Amino acid sequence: MPKSKRNRQVTLSKTKKKGRGHKETIVNGIKEAVEKYACVYVFSFESMRNQKLKEFREQLKSSSRFFLGSNKVMQVALGRSAADEISSGIHKVSKLLRGDAGMFLTNLSKEEVERLFKEFKEYDFARTGSLATEKVDLKEGPLEQFTHEMEPFLRKQGMPVRLNKGVVELVSDFVVCEEGKPLSPEASRILRLMGIKMATFRLNLICRWSPDEFELYIDGPDESDVECS
């Protein structure tokens, strides 16, 4: 007897993969944006926070456009060499789309863009695996910043604590994290409880391209290296 379709399980989280059509849409969007906007910037990002970036994009949407995603797709859109670039010299931009990078196309002045990117930053709690920016250690004794209800949770994070007359007490010195070392899941949770923010979401300009000029912002390859790479 065939199974009833009514009893068939459906995975609601299943989504279609972004295929060729999606990539072509991005490529065409980038090509149109290069014609529309005066300058193209490549930027790198650290400690990405999607909501903060969304707010930044919204702030600048009347004069600018951001592209983030597959570096290879963005490279194809711009052209990877002088032979297939969509505008003179723009393949140099393509060469710098590596790692955590994106593109910013705009009609804003160079001075305004540099100011906006320099001022843009968001402090947040560091996630597991992030490098600690400082050493955090707790000394033996009462931890009055924590309520007594938190004592079991703190013990689960590996902290040597106990309740003493309703006050959470550290029975021995405890190192939460070491500067320059990756944060464990437990350390990131403790830092969040302590209100210590070690992550800074920032955008760093790498280069600027216009039909008349190409400029590098970073220490690294000079223009001839970008041209020949």
Side-chain angles (χ1 to χ4, degrees):
M1 182 176 178
K3 291 183 179 179
S4 171
K5 291 184 179 180
R6 292 182 180 179
N7 296 327
R8 185 175 297 170
Q9 291 185 339
V10 177
T11 304
L12 297 177
S13 60
K14 188 175 182 180
T15 58
K16 291 184 179 180
K17 290 186 177 180
K18 297 178 180 178
R20 185 180 183 86
H22 176 73
K23 293 178 181 178
E24 289 178 351
T25 299
I26 294 174
V27 168
N28 291 334
I30 291 173
K31 289 180 177 180
E32 291 172 3
V34 170
E35 292 185 8
K36 178 179 179 180
Y37 297 103
C39 293
V40 179
Y41 293 80
V42 172
F43 63 88
S44 63
F45 54 85
E46 305 171 33
S47 303
M48 171 62 77
R49 297 298 186 267
N50 291 330
Q51 183 57 39
K52 183 65 176 179
L53 181 62
K54 183 179 179 181
E55 293 171 5
F56 194 45
R57 294 172 94 153
E58 187 67 22
Q59 174 188 340
L60 299 173
K61 71 177 183 179
S62 63
S63 62
S64 314
R65 187 169 179 185
F66 284 86
F67 287 94
L68 287 92
S70 168
N71 289 338
K72 289 184 178 180
V73 173
M74 291 190 286
Q75 289 170 350
V76 168
L78 299 176
R80 293 178 172 176
S81 68
D84 62 1
E85 63 184 10
I86 61 173
S87 191
S88 179
I90 204 168
H91 75 280
K92 297 176 184 179
V93 173
S94 180
K95 299 291 184 185
L96 294 168
L97 286 166
R98 299 187 291 247
D100 293 331
M103 286 198 304
F104 176 68
L105 297 90
T106 186
N107 288 324
L108 295 173
S109 68
K110 171 187 171 182
E111 293 75 20
E112 181 69 1
V113 171
E114 291 173 355
R115 182 188 67 80
L116 286 167
F117 275 71
K118 183 178 181 180
E119 294 176 355
F120 179 87
K121 62 179 63 176
E122 175 79 356
Y123 298 105
D124 200 358
F125 298 108
R127 295 167 179 168
T128 299
S130 301
L131 298 182
T133 57
E134 60 181 289
K135 180 179 180 179
V136 176
D137 54 359
L138 300 173
K139 299 301 181 182
E140 177 184 348
L143 299 173
E144 296 180 355
Q145 66 267 48
F146 301 124
T147 63
H148 68 276
E149 294 94 342
M150 299 172 70
E151 188 265 345
F153 179 79
L154 295 174
R155 272 192 288 107
K156 287 183 180 179
Q157 308 316 308
M159 294 179 65
V161 293
R162 67 183 178 188
L163 281 179
N164 185 1
K165 297 180 180 179
V167 177
V168 178
E169 185 178 73
L170 199 62
V171 299
S172 61
D173 293 350
F174 179 74
V175 176
V176 179
C177 61
E178 296 276 3
E179 182 179 356
K181 293 186 177 181
L183 293 177
S184 66
E186 294 78 15
S188 65
R189 294 187 197 110
I190 295 169
L191 291 174
R192 181 178 287 271
L193 287 175
M194 296 176 67
I196 298 176
K197 297 181 178 181
M198 288 191 177
T200 305
F201 173 34
R202 52 167 66 95
L203 306 175
N204 305 305
L205 291 174
I206 295 176
C207 72
R208 179 180 67 87
W209 172 93
S210 70
D212 304 316
E213 187 180 12
F214 177 77
E215 178 181 3
L216 278 170
Y217 287 98
I218 59 172
D219 293 328
D222 59 28
E223 288 193 39
S224 60
D225 293 330
V226 174
E227 183 74 53
C228 299
S229 62

